[in-house]
Amino acid sequence: MGLTVVSATAHTKVLNATSNLASLAMFAFSGHIVWALGIAMGFGQWFGAQVGSRLVITKGATLIRPMVIIMCLAISVKLLLDN
């Protein structure tokens, strides 16, 4: 799509946050929220995003590419073992 790896990663952060807010709205509308768990998970996600963003800014594509490959391989292995 013409984006650099760092730019594409930044776009995924925005899209991930948007989907999380939509999920929060949906669960709030249905009244099925465990607030303590949700706040803990939200804090963990915020903290992870801060650390990840700083790593992307400092390390760039040299960090992202290997991580994407490792995660894809890990998910592939898990899917193969689950079947």
Side-chain angles (χ1 to χ4, degrees):
M1 302 292 290
L3 298 174
T4 65
V5 175
V6 174
S7 178
T9 302
H11 281 76
T12 61
K13 296 292 181 200
V14 173
L15 293 173
N16 191 21
T18 303
S19 70
N20 289 338
L21 289 174
S23 297
L24 175 63
M26 193 63 151
F27 282 114
F29 180 71
S30 67
H32 294 97
I33 296 180
V34 180
W35 287 105
L37 183 60
I39 290 169
M41 290 179 68
F43 177 74
Q45 181 180 359
W46 175 82
F47 181 73
Q50 295 298 312
V51 171
S53 297
R54 284 176 174 73
L55 282 172
V56 167
I57 290 169
T58 58
K59 304 289 185 189
T62 59
L63 174 71
I64 297 171
R65 281 195 178 104
M67 290 301 292
V68 168
I69 292 170
I70 289 168
M71 293 310 297
C72 287
L73 289 173
I75 291 170
S76 297
V77 168
K78 182 192 179 314
L79 289 172
L80 287 171
L81 293 176
D82 284 351
N83 204 0

